[in-house]
Structure formats: C-alpha cells, structure tokens
Amino acid sequence: MKGFITCLALALSTLPNVEAHYRFTSLITGGTTTTAYQYVRQNTNYNSPILSYLIFTDFRCNAGGGTGTATFTATVAAGATVGFALDQAIFHPGVLNVYMSKAPGTAAAYDGSGGWFKIYQVTAVTNGGTSITWPTDNATQFTFKIPSSISAGNYLLRIEHIALHSASSTAGAQTSIRCAQLTVTGGGSASPATVSIPGVYSATDPG
C-alpha cells in the first residue's frame, strides 16, 4: 500500500498544473511579450496572495516580491503602451487594476512603501442591473498606456486581479498580484494623488 501511495503521489505531481491560479508572468513592451519573470518579480508562494494579505506588505508585489534584485528593469517612454501577459486565462470573475509607484532609488531595490497611483482599470459591465459581464473573463493579457505626464524615473508597475467568487464573506476576495520594474523616460512633472498599499482596501469592503 505504501508503494502504491508513493507512486500515486508521484503521478499526481507530474500532471499539468490545472489547479494553479493564473499568474501575471510577463511584461509586454514594444509590442513584444518578454520572457516570464524577466521584468516581473516572481513570487515565492504557490498562488497569489489572498484574504488576510490585505494588511501585509506582501499585498504590494506578492510574497517574495519585496525586492527585485534578480529581476531586470525595462526602459519605457512615458506615454508608451505596455502590459502584462498571464500564464493561463483568467477563470474567476472580477475586476482588474494597475498602479504605479515611483522609487526613491533603483526599481530593483524598492519595496513599494511609497505612494501608489492608479493608471488603468477594467470593471464589470452591466445593462442596468439585470445582467452583468466581466471583461476580464478568459483574458490572457492586458495592455494600457503609461501616463505621458508623469516624471521620468524608476517605478514599480503593479497589476492586480480581484477575484470575487468568494467575496460574499469577509476578506473573501482573492487577489492575484505582480509587480514589474520600469525606468520611465521623458514625461512631465505631474504628481498624481496616491494611496498606500496595503491600506487601499479593507477586508469589509463590499464585494
């Protein structure tokens, strides 16, 4: 019996990872999807932060993403189109947000403890209340523009998909998060209003 259990465990470990949550693995820049985790900080947990991570610093860039010394920093122009690609299609209903935070030094050394400003979002579509659709369903990538008015410098680019299938309970929403490292060139002198992460959401926010 012991041998059978060992063989079964080995067989299961070699099956495709169909139960893993979708992950934002690659930065899209210059119209090209870059290598997984080339410019995106890699997490150290199996899935993305969920539930109580709302109050911990892992909610910024995921577990293990506090710094990015093993991650390259991409150079992009202010106003350029960039994006994120996933390792599989999104399969939970929810909303998507993208934030940026300017680093005081290098992007690789920055822990995201400064202010964050939102540059992009995708939310639910409703016809007035009788039906609702989720544009993020089955998506495998998202592209958007870096604001042309922000100042040049080093930034973290943070994407989150807030899955709402369990949001009927307190702290039930599940959030998939990644941060990419950017050096933004050009731009202007805008100073967008910022929020703190963690702190931008509460576990009791309406689902």
Side-chain angles (χ1 to χ4, degrees):
M1 178 62 73
K2 181 178 179 181
F4 172 77
I5 293 174
T6 301
C7 291
L8 178 60
L10 179 61
L12 290 173
S13 71
T14 61
L15 289 174
N17 191 12
V18 295
E19 294 300 324
H21 274 71
Y22 41 88
R23 291 168 286 197
F24 298 94
T25 56
S26 301
L27 180 71
I28 301 171
T29 181
T32 299
T33 300
T34 58
T35 303
Y37 304 115
Q38 182 179 3
Y39 300 109
V40 177
R41 293 182 180 181
Q42 188 167 9
N43 61 317
T44 55
N45 59 343
Y46 182 66
N47 283 323
S48 293
I50 59 172
L51 309 178
S52 61
Y53 280 87
L54 286 169
I55 64 174
F56 297 117
T57 56
D58 282 349
F59 195 63
R60 293 174 186 154
C61 293
N62 208 320
T67 60
T69 54
T71 306
F72 290 100
T73 300
T75 299
V76 301
T81 297
V82 298
F84 284 88
L86 295 101
D87 60 350
Q88 60 178 303
I90 290 176
F91 53 81
H92 287 313
V95 298
L96 180 128
N97 300 302
V98 178
Y99 292 86
M100 294 183 71
S101 183
K102 191 171 186 180
T106 65
Y110 183 40
D111 64 358
S113 56
W116 294 83
F117 55 95
K118 186 188 291 187
I119 65 167
Y120 180 73
Q121 66 178 19
V122 181
T123 189
V125 176
T126 177
N127 66 355
T130 59
S131 69
I132 187 170
T133 58
W134 300 95
T136 59
D137 282 357
N138 299 310
T140 58
Q141 66 175 42
F142 298 90
T143 57
F144 42 85
K145 288 185 179 293
I146 298 294
S148 59
S149 59
I150 63 172
S151 60
N154 297 314
Y155 288 83
L156 292 182
L157 179 69
R158 176 185 181 274
I159 191 167
E160 63 176 18
H161 182 256
I162 307 174
L164 301 175
H165 59 292
S166 300
S168 59
S169 59
T170 300
Q174 299 181 7
T175 309
S176 299
I177 304 166
R178 286 297 185 280
C179 288
Q181 299 176 179
L182 301 181
T183 296
V184 175
T185 61
S189 57
S191 298
T194 62
V195 296
S196 296
I197 299 178
V200 63
Y201 310 126
S202 167
T204 57
D205 286 344

